[in-house]
Amino acid sequence: MDLSRQGSAVRADLAEPLERAKEATSTASRAAEIKERCRQLAQITDIPGQTTRSFLSPAMRRCMGTVQSWMEAAQMSITIDAAGNLRGLYPGSRPDALRLVVGSHLDTVPNAGAFDGVLGVLLGLALVESLEGQRLSFAIELIAFSEEEGVRFGVPFIGSRAVTGQIDRELLSTQDAEGISVRQAMLDFGLDPERLPEATLDRAAAAYLEFHIEQGPALESEDRSLGVVDCIAGQTRGEVIFTGASNHAGTTPMRLRRDALAAAAEWIAAVERLARNEEGLVATVGRIEVHPGAENVIAGEAQASLDVRHADDAMRRSAVERLIAATESIARARSLEARWCLQMDQVAVAMDAQLSQMAVDAIRGIGLQPLRMMSGAGHDAMIIASRLPSAMIFLRSPGGISHHPDESVRIEDVANALNAGLGFLRGFHKVIIGAHA
Ligand SMILES: [Zn+2]
């Protein structure tokens, strides 16, 4: 993390106000309030009986209104940028202070849980509330991103893309299922797409921190409360199509068959075998379509999806190459054809080493040992990392359950995250002082 290019000198002593803030209100009660607020926001939904909030929807407007009122009560000044991101600024002790950006998202998948995204926003808010109006040597900007999940437009991270200046004409003209473009959705919400450039983070923004539930079982299986993300995995998505010949299931001898489904089955087993034997690799065939798809007909064609993820791009690409080679050898042995179609190649994104170490130190500072981990899922931090040094702290997901109404979080883990967050603010203060010494 290089802060030397940033603006002002910073002197104020952070340790004392933070200590006082900690004394003033117990973190346990704040943690309970955070969880309660997550449950409250989960009631704000586009589809009654669920938690479903999509980009710039009526429920999103109400949700933003509630979060905005909490931000204002915490003495933050509010703006809503042209992409609908709700942004609260808690000023530093000087007008030209550098800024720590803390954020996560308010949108959800259909029929979601209460904590994915929202928890990160409310933890950031609780950090500011813990300061109880006392000014630090740096400002804190809390961003509640308007869109992360990619549900409405099939394009994820619209909120964080706006903040990093990555919204182009093509994205603006992308349409939802009702034929409404991103641009039109912004106008309908009362936003001005022409003002998108103003949403971009300015030079005072120095670093980004995101809290998020893990959405997986790793922390629970290691009996850890918190984790620090070293890297967000790179991802390959594609499709394999095996083409053989469909024929009668009763009259075609086994030796004369060109069974596309049997070939796909052999390949799917090879995908699992390869991933089990490579450290850190996950590979999934999550969908298969078979034609003609009748009980008494040999399958003439099978289309199988492939999703491969790894922290190391070279490892991931090598695994994908081996899996493509496997389709060819399986097809050859069965006198079939195999075609590979690449749909997505997203490189891995490393979190900032120094900022992540600060997160590790902060967690150790409250007597816990964080798990250093890879995130298999994408997050706003992977977009913001292109612009700012970024770090992510994961909270344990009970049962590893996410994107589901049963998604949960333990209050003690929320309290730990809040305490670690306060420690992180202290560490951040030292780095800024060091950069200007
Ligand atoms: Zn999320």
Side-chain angles (χ1 to χ4, degrees):
M1 182 172 53
D2 176 20
L3 294 171
S4 55
R5 67 188 165 79
Q6 308 286 351
S8 64
V10 195
R11 258 171 274 108
D13 181 20
L14 179 68
E16 194 215 355
L18 279 177
E19 281 307 314
R20 271 189 277 146
K22 270 179 70 179
E23 281 166 20
T25 311
S26 85
T27 357
S29 68
R30 281 201 198 281
E33 185 184 43
I34 291 168
K35 197 169 171 184
E36 178 50 39
R37 282 173 166 178
C38 289
R39 294 280 185 212
Q40 185 181 337
L41 295 182
Q43 302 295 314
I44 306 177
T45 174
D46 292 312
I47 301 176
Q50 301 185 356
T51 297
T52 300
R53 279 192 308 273
S54 68
F55 180 48
L56 302 182
S57 73
M60 184 58 93
R61 189 190 296 279
R62 297 198 301 277
C63 179
M64 287 164 66
T66 303
V67 177
Q68 177 172 341
S69 67
W70 294 333
M71 283 180 174
E72 282 167 345
Q75 304 184 28
M76 307 182 91
S77 56
I78 308 298
T79 51
I80 295 169
D81 69 25
N85 296 312
L86 173 63
R87 304 167 74 150
L89 183 69
Y90 183 79
S93 51
R94 307 162 45 127
D96 58 350
L98 294 175
R99 218 158 63 227
L100 174 67
V101 181
V102 182
S104 199
H105 59 98
L106 291 181
D107 67 319
T108 73
V109 295
N111 201 19
F115 301 99
D116 175 359
V118 169
L119 177 65
V121 174
L122 296 184
L123 265 164
L125 174 64
L127 277 179
V128 172
E129 288 173 335
S130 299
L131 300 173
E132 300 190 322
Q134 293 166 81
R135 298 285 175 240
L136 306 181
S137 55
F138 54 90
I140 297 175
E141 181 178 7
L142 177 62
I143 307 184
F145 291 108
S146 56
E147 208 289 336
E148 190 267 356
E149 301 282 7
V151 172
R152 179 167 177 187
F153 289 97
V155 183
F157 310 118
I158 295 175
S160 45
R161 282 177 209 245
V163 162
T164 50
Q166 297 179 55
I167 293 195
D168 54 19
R169 280 177 194 286
E170 191 189 336
L171 203 158
L172 283 174
S173 57
T174 302
Q175 295 182 351
D176 68 7
E178 266 126 53
I180 298 168
S181 67
V182 172
R183 175 190 296 278
Q184 190 58 48
M186 287 171 174
L187 290 168
D188 292 349
F189 200 80
L191 304 169
D192 181 0
E194 299 305 316
R195 296 183 66 179
L196 272 168
E198 295 167 31
T200 310
L201 289 164
D202 64 20
R203 286 176 55 83
Y208 177 74
L209 174 68
E210 180 168 358
F211 294 93
H212 204 284
I213 53 163
E214 182 203 343
Q215 302 184 278
L219 287 168
E220 188 170 72
S221 72
E222 299 273 339
D223 198 22
R224 312 280 183 100
S225 174
L226 303 174
V228 173
V229 176
D230 288 314
C231 168
I232 298 177
Q235 189 178 151
T236 302
R237 280 196 208 172
E239 186 177 63
V240 172
I241 303 168
F242 289 99
T243 309
S246 59
N247 211 332
H248 198 292
T251 61
T252 316
M254 296 309 289
R255 67 187 166 80
L256 295 180
R257 292 181 181 213
R258 296 169 62 215
D259 186 332
L261 179 54
E266 189 181 337
W267 179 69
I268 292 167
V271 171
E272 185 189 43
R273 201 161 46 241
L274 180 106
R276 280 179 180 233
N277 290 328
E278 291 280 353
E279 182 69 29
L281 185 75
V282 288
T284 307
V285 178
R287 180 181 54 77
I288 182 159
E289 252 175 70
V290 179
H291 303 282
E295 285 169 34
N296 58 353
V297 182
I298 298 161
E301 187 181 279
Q303 302 178 359
S305 65
L306 179 68
D307 178 316
V308 180
R309 306 186 195 204
H310 197 283
D312 183 309
D313 291 328
M315 294 274 284
R316 171 173 53 88
R317 289 186 177 131
S318 145
V320 170
E321 272 169 30
R322 279 176 284 161
L323 290 173
I324 296 169
T327 66
E328 286 158 4
S329 65
I330 289 167
R332 210 176 308 118
R334 293 169 171 270
S335 302
L336 272 68
E337 276 172 25
R339 210 149 34 89
W340 163 251
C341 174
L342 177 72
Q343 291 161 334
M344 176 174 139
D345 184 326
Q346 160 73 51
V347 298
V349 176
M351 295 294 100
D352 183 78
Q354 190 186 348
L355 208 64
S356 298
Q357 187 59 48
M358 282 169 48
V360 167
D361 293 343
I363 293 168
R364 287 189 182 140
I366 59 167
L368 295 175
Q369 201 53 248
L371 187 68
R372 306 294 297 255
M373 57 197 300
M374 178 191 86
S375 172
H379 293 290
D380 291 305
M382 79 191 286
I383 305 298
I384 304 294
S386 67
R387 181 90 184 199
L388 293 181
S390 298
M392 275 198 93
I393 295 177
F394 271 178
L395 288 77
R396 166 165 46 194
S397 287
I401 298 167
S402 181
H403 283 185
H404 187 279
D406 290 345
E407 182 181 275
S408 184
V409 72
R410 286 157 69 161
I411 283 184
E412 73 251 38
D413 294 341
V414 178
N416 288 336
L418 188 53
N419 276 328
L422 288 167
F424 184 93
L425 298 187
R426 269 177 241 125
F428 190 69
H429 172 73
K430 281 187 199 142
V431 169
I432 288 181
I433 294 290
H436 295 288

